[in-house]
Amino acid sequence: MQNNVGLQTAYWSGTTPALDIHQIIELTKKANMDTIELKAGDFVPLTTEGRAALRKEIEDAGLSITINGTGLRPERDVSSSDEESHKAGIKHLCHMLDLSKEMGAKLFSGIPYGLWNTRPGADDDAIEMKKERRANAIRGLKEVAKHAEEVKVVLCLEIVNRFEQYIANTAEEGIAICEEINNPYCKLLLDTFHMNIEEDYIPGAIRAASDKGYLGYIHIGEANRKIPNGEKKTNIDWKAIAATIKDIGYEGPFIMEPFVLESSSSAKSISLWRAIKDGTDIDGLVADAAAGVKFFKSL
């Protein structure tokens, strides 16, 4: 496959020594990536001038940019029935789209339809809560999608597994939301890690989203969130995925979102309780990422 392959900056969180964004850009390029996926913390705190300088540095390195991480919180949540929080969520997502445009990104993804790592409480009616939250999210995201269309940045709803969210866990549920929003600038981000948990057949889920016109882009990772490298058989059938990608004519990027360091700032929130890689082996992390690029380009 000749699609762009990229790497999310969170991959480097937890290394010893810690790496700054400038070192991460250099290492991402060293790993032969085409794209770097930024998290909000990489650019949101910067000044306008700082973001412009960061964008130039990334572009000068020959990398394109995608952005992942919506940053919704209880006080700014489009799925909330509290109107103040609902409206604040819309405003925040529109601001993130503006910043994505500022950074030169064409794809902005995350979980804009609700709060990450949340679920109905023991005393909640889960079915009714999902129904209500879903309706609120769609109402708000219709406004956000209009803004996405204005700034020409595609809003991609990341579909995650049942342990991280409950409003949408499958491509089918994501497609249904996109159909109700009904805007070409609202699509899906499908992730092989999450699909491995929720979908009957990953290539079928990818094809379904593509057939409906809602495939925004794809996150890739093994079932244990390692980087795929083709060295041995794993739970995910990468050849079948590649065949589907070629058949549907998908031309978007594949972004690696590996979590392999137990010292990462995200380790607890993504339930990583063991060291898959040594955080002091920076060269090894680069080599693993480069092997992933080589593998995907060979499919």
Coordinates of all heavy atoms in Angstrom, one line a residue, residues 210-259:
S210 N -16.8 2.9 4.3 CA -16.4 3.4 3.0 C -17.6 3.4 2.1 O -17.8 4.4 1.4 CB -15.3 2.6 2.4 OG -15.0 3.0 1.1
D211 N -18.4 2.4 2.0 CA -19.5 2.3 1.1 C -20.5 3.4 1.4 O -21.2 3.9 0.5 CB -20.2 0.9 1.3 CG -19.4 -0.2 0.6 OD1 -18.4 0.1 -0.1 OD2 -19.8 -1.4 0.8
K212 N -20.6 3.8 2.6 CA -21.6 4.9 3.0 C -20.9 6.3 2.8 O -21.6 7.3 3.0 CB -22.0 4.7 4.4 CG -22.9 3.5 4.7 CD -24.3 3.7 4.1 CE -25.2 2.5 4.5 NZ -26.6 2.8 4.0
G213 N -19.6 6.3 2.5 CA -19.0 7.6 2.4 C -18.5 8.2 3.7 O -18.2 9.4 3.7
Y214 N -18.4 7.4 4.7 CA -18.1 8.0 6.0 C -16.7 7.5 6.6 O -16.4 7.7 7.8 CB -19.2 7.6 7.0 CG -20.5 8.3 6.7 CD1 -21.7 7.5 6.6 CD2 -20.6 9.6 6.5 CE1 -22.9 8.1 6.3 CE2 -21.8 10.2 6.3 CZ -23.0 9.5 6.1 OH -24.2 10.1 5.8
L215 N -15.9 7.0 5.8 CA -14.6 6.6 6.2 C -13.6 7.8 6.2 O -13.2 8.2 5.1 CB -14.0 5.4 5.4 CG -12.6 4.9 5.8 CD1 -12.6 4.4 7.3 CD2 -12.2 3.7 4.9
G216 N -13.3 8.3 7.3 CA -12.4 9.5 7.4 C -11.0 9.0 7.3 O -10.3 9.3 6.3
Y217 N -10.5 8.3 8.3 CA -9.2 7.7 8.3 C -9.1 6.6 9.3 O -10.1 6.2 9.9 CB -8.1 8.7 8.4 CG -7.8 9.4 9.7 CD1 -6.6 9.1 10.4 CD2 -8.6 10.3 10.3 CE1 -6.3 9.7 11.6 CE2 -8.4 11.0 11.5 CZ -7.2 10.7 12.2 OH -6.9 11.3 13.3
I218 N -7.9 6.0 9.4 CA -7.8 4.7 10.1 C -6.6 4.8 11.1 O -5.5 5.2 10.7 CB -7.6 3.5 9.2 CG1 -8.8 3.4 8.3 CG2 -7.3 2.2 9.9 CD1 -8.7 2.4 7.2
H219 N -6.8 4.4 12.3 CA -5.7 4.1 13.3 C -5.3 2.7 13.2 O -6.2 1.8 13.1 CB -6.2 4.5 14.7 CG -6.0 5.9 15.1 ND1 -6.4 6.4 16.3 CD2 -5.4 6.9 14.5 CE1 -6.1 7.6 16.4 NE2 -5.5 8.0 15.3
I220 N -4.0 2.4 13.3 CA -3.6 1.0 13.2 C -2.8 0.6 14.4 O -2.0 1.4 15.0 CB -2.8 0.7 11.9 CG1 -1.6 1.8 11.8 CG2 -3.6 0.7 10.7 CD1 -0.7 1.5 10.6
G221 N -3.0 -0.6 14.9 CA -2.3 -1.1 16.0 C -2.7 -2.5 16.3 O -3.8 -2.9 15.9
E222 N -1.9 -3.3 16.9 CA -2.2 -4.7 17.2 C -3.2 -4.8 18.3 O -3.5 -3.7 18.9 CB -1.0 -5.5 17.5 CG 0.0 -5.7 16.4 CD -0.4 -6.7 15.4 OE1 -1.5 -7.2 15.4 OE2 0.4 -7.0 14.5
A223 N -3.7 -6.0 18.6 CA -4.7 -6.1 19.6 C -4.2 -5.7 21.0 O -5.0 -5.4 21.9 CB -5.2 -7.6 19.7
N224 N -2.9 -5.8 21.2 CA -2.2 -5.3 22.4 C -1.6 -4.0 22.3 O -0.8 -3.6 23.2 CB -1.2 -6.4 22.9 CG -0.2 -6.7 21.8 OD1 -0.1 -6.0 20.8 ND2 0.6 -7.7 22.0
R225 N -1.9 -3.2 21.3 CA -1.5 -1.9 21.0 C 0.0 -1.8 20.6 O 0.6 -0.7 20.6 CB -1.8 -0.9 22.2 CG -3.3 -1.0 22.6 CD -3.8 0.2 23.2 NE -4.3 1.1 22.2 CZ -5.3 2.0 22.5 NH1 -5.8 2.1 23.7 NH2 -5.7 2.8 21.5
K226 N 0.6 -2.9 20.2 CA 1.9 -2.8 19.7 C 1.8 -2.3 18.2 O 0.8 -2.3 17.6 CB 2.6 -4.2 19.7 CG 3.0 -4.7 21.1 CD 3.7 -6.1 20.9 CE 4.1 -6.7 22.3 NZ 4.7 -8.0 22.1
I227 N 3.0 -2.0 17.7 CA 3.1 -1.6 16.2 C 3.1 -2.9 15.4 O 3.9 -3.7 15.6 CB 4.3 -0.7 16.0 CG1 4.2 0.6 16.7 CG2 4.5 -0.5 14.5 CD1 5.4 1.5 16.6
P228 N 2.3 -3.0 14.4 CA 2.3 -4.1 13.5 C 3.6 -4.1 12.7 O 4.1 -3.1 12.2 CB 1.1 -3.9 12.5 CG 0.3 -2.9 13.2 CD 1.2 -2.0 14.0
N229 N 4.3 -5.3 12.6 CA 5.5 -5.4 11.8 C 5.6 -6.6 10.9 O 6.5 -6.7 10.1 CB 6.7 -5.3 12.7 CG 6.8 -6.5 13.7 OD1 6.2 -7.6 13.5 ND2 7.4 -6.3 14.8
G230 N 4.6 -7.5 10.9 CA 4.6 -8.6 10.0 C 5.5 -9.7 10.3 O 5.6 -10.7 9.6
E231 N 6.2 -9.6 11.5 CA 7.2 -10.7 11.8 C 6.6 -12.0 12.2 O 7.2 -13.0 12.0 CB 8.2 -10.2 12.9 CG 9.1 -9.0 12.4 CD 10.0 -8.6 13.5 OE1 10.0 -9.2 14.7 OE2 10.8 -7.7 13.3
K232 N 5.4 -11.9 12.8 CA 4.8 -13.2 13.2 C 3.3 -13.0 13.1 O 2.8 -11.9 13.0 CB 5.1 -13.6 14.6 CG 4.8 -12.5 15.7 CD 5.2 -13.0 17.0 CE 4.9 -11.9 18.1 NZ 5.3 -12.4 19.5
K233 N 2.5 -14.1 13.1 CA 1.1 -14.1 13.0 C 0.5 -13.4 14.3 O 0.9 -13.7 15.4 CB 0.5 -15.5 12.8 CG -0.9 -15.5 12.5 CD -1.4 -17.0 12.2 CE -2.9 -17.0 11.9 NZ -3.3 -18.4 11.5
T234 N -0.5 -12.5 14.1 CA -1.1 -11.9 15.2 C -2.6 -12.0 15.1 O -3.1 -12.6 14.1 CB -0.7 -10.4 15.3 OG1 -1.3 -9.7 14.1 CG2 0.8 -10.2 15.4
N235 N -3.4 -11.5 16.0 CA -4.8 -11.6 16.0 C -5.5 -10.8 14.9 O -6.7 -11.1 14.6 CB -5.4 -11.2 17.4 CG -5.0 -12.1 18.5 OD1 -4.8 -13.3 18.3 ND2 -4.9 -11.6 19.7
I236 N -4.8 -9.9 14.3 CA -5.4 -9.0 13.3 C -4.9 -9.5 11.9 O -3.6 -9.6 11.7 CB -5.1 -7.5 13.6 CG1 -5.8 -7.1 14.9 CG2 -5.6 -6.7 12.4 CD1 -5.6 -5.7 15.3
D237 N -5.8 -9.6 11.0 CA -5.4 -10.1 9.7 C -5.1 -8.9 8.8 O -6.0 -8.3 8.1 CB -6.6 -10.9 9.1 CG -6.2 -11.6 7.8 OD1 -5.2 -11.2 7.1 OD2 -6.9 -12.5 7.4
W238 N -3.8 -8.5 8.8 CA -3.4 -7.3 8.1 C -3.5 -7.5 6.5 O -3.8 -6.5 5.8 CB -2.0 -6.9 8.5 CG -1.9 -6.5 9.9 CD1 -1.4 -7.2 10.9 CD2 -2.5 -5.4 10.5 NE1 -1.5 -6.6 12.1 CE2 -2.2 -5.4 11.9 CE3 -3.2 -4.3 10.0 CZ2 -2.6 -4.5 12.8 CZ3 -3.6 -3.3 10.9 CH2 -3.3 -3.4 12.3
K239 N -3.3 -8.7 6.1 CA -3.4 -8.9 4.6 C -4.9 -8.7 4.1 O -5.1 -8.2 3.1 CB -2.9 -10.3 4.3 CG -1.4 -10.4 4.4 CD -0.9 -11.8 3.9 CE 0.6 -11.9 4.0 NZ 1.1 -13.2 3.6
A240 N -5.8 -9.2 5.0 CA -7.2 -9.0 4.6 C -7.6 -7.6 4.6 O -8.4 -7.1 3.8 CB -8.1 -9.8 5.6
I241 N -7.1 -6.8 5.6 CA -7.4 -5.4 5.7 C -6.8 -4.7 4.5 O -7.5 -3.9 3.8 CB -6.8 -4.8 7.0 CG1 -7.6 -5.3 8.2 CG2 -6.8 -3.3 7.0 CD1 -7.0 -5.0 9.6
A242 N -5.6 -5.0 4.1 CA -4.9 -4.4 3.0 C -5.7 -4.7 1.7 O -5.9 -3.8 0.8 CB -3.5 -4.9 2.8
A243 N -6.2 -5.9 1.5 CA -6.9 -6.2 0.3 C -8.2 -5.4 0.3 O -8.6 -4.9 -0.8 CB -7.3 -7.7 0.4
T244 N -8.9 -5.2 1.4 CA -10.1 -4.4 1.4 C -9.8 -2.9 1.1 O -10.5 -2.3 0.3 CB -10.7 -4.5 2.8 OG1 -11.1 -5.8 3.1 CG2 -12.0 -3.6 2.9
I245 N -8.7 -2.4 1.7 CA -8.2 -1.0 1.4 C -8.0 -0.8 -0.1 O -8.5 0.2 -0.6 CB -7.0 -0.7 2.2 CG1 -7.2 -0.7 3.7 CG2 -6.3 0.6 1.7 CD1 -8.3 0.3 4.1
K246 N -7.4 -1.7 -0.7 CA -7.1 -1.6 -2.2 C -8.4 -1.7 -3.0 O -8.6 -1.0 -3.9 CB -6.2 -2.7 -2.6 CG -4.7 -2.5 -2.1 CD -3.9 -3.7 -2.4 CE -2.5 -3.6 -1.8 NZ -1.6 -4.7 -2.0
D247 N -9.3 -2.6 -2.5 CA -10.6 -2.8 -3.2 C -11.5 -1.6 -3.2 O -12.1 -1.2 -4.1 CB -11.3 -4.0 -2.7 CG -12.5 -4.5 -3.5 OD1 -12.3 -4.5 -4.7 OD2 -13.5 -4.7 -2.9
I248 N -11.5 -0.9 -2.0 CA -12.4 0.2 -1.8 C -11.8 1.5 -2.3 O -12.4 2.6 -2.4 CB -12.9 0.4 -0.4 CG1 -11.7 0.7 0.6 CG2 -13.6 -0.8 0.1 CD1 -12.1 1.0 2.0
G249 N -10.5 1.5 -2.6 CA -9.8 2.7 -3.1 C -9.5 3.7 -2.0 O -9.5 4.9 -2.4
Y250 N -9.4 3.3 -0.8 CA -9.1 4.2 0.3 C -7.7 4.9 0.1 O -6.7 4.2 -0.1 CB -9.1 3.5 1.6 CG -8.6 4.3 2.8 CD1 -9.4 5.4 3.3 CD2 -7.4 4.0 3.4 CE1 -8.9 6.1 4.4 CE2 -7.0 4.7 4.5 CZ -7.7 5.8 5.0 OH -7.2 6.5 6.0
E251 N -7.6 6.2 0.1 CA -6.4 6.9 -0.1 C -5.9 7.7 1.1 O -4.9 8.4 1.0 CB -6.5 7.8 -1.3 CG -6.8 7.1 -2.7 CD -7.0 8.0 -3.8 OE1 -7.1 9.2 -3.6 OE2 -6.9 7.5 -5.0
G252 N -6.6 7.6 2.2 CA -6.3 8.3 3.4 C -5.1 7.7 4.1 O -4.6 6.7 3.7
P253 N -4.7 8.4 5.2 CA -3.6 7.9 6.0 C -3.9 6.8 6.9 O -5.0 6.5 7.3 CB -3.1 9.1 6.8 CG -4.4 9.9 7.0 CD -5.3 9.6 5.8
F254 N -2.8 6.0 7.3 CA -2.9 5.1 8.4 C -2.0 5.7 9.5 O -0.8 5.9 9.3 CB -2.3 3.7 8.0 CG -3.1 3.0 7.0 CD1 -2.8 2.9 5.6 CD2 -4.2 2.3 7.4 CE1 -3.6 2.2 4.7 CE2 -5.0 1.6 6.5 CZ -4.7 1.5 5.2
I255 N -2.6 5.9 10.6 CA -1.8 6.5 11.7 C -1.6 5.4 12.9 O -2.6 4.9 13.4 CB -2.6 7.7 12.3 CG1 -2.9 8.7 11.2 CG2 -1.7 8.3 13.5 CD1 -1.6 9.3 10.6
M256 N -0.4 5.2 13.2 CA -0.1 4.3 14.3 C -0.4 5.0 15.6 O 0.0 6.1 15.8 CB 1.4 3.9 14.3 CG 1.8 3.2 13.0 SD 3.5 2.8 13.1 CE 3.8 2.2 11.4
E257 N -1.1 4.3 16.5 CA -1.4 4.8 17.9 C -1.0 3.8 18.9 O -1.8 3.2 19.6 CB -2.9 5.2 18.0 CG -3.2 5.9 19.3 CD -4.7 6.1 19.5 OE1 -5.5 5.2 19.1 OE2 -5.1 7.1 20.1
P258 N 0.3 3.5 19.0 CA 0.8 2.5 19.9 C 0.9 3.0 21.3 O 1.3 4.2 21.5 CB 2.1 2.1 19.3 CG 2.6 3.2 18.5 CD 1.4 4.1 18.2
F259 N 0.7 2.1 22.3 CA 0.9 2.5 23.7 C 1.7 1.3 24.3 O 1.2 0.2 24.5 CB -0.4 2.6 24.5 CG -1.1 3.9 24.1 CD1 -2.2 3.8 23.2 CD2 -0.8 5.1 24.6 CE1 -2.9 4.9 22.8 CE2 -1.5 6.3 24.2 CZ -2.5 6.2 23.3

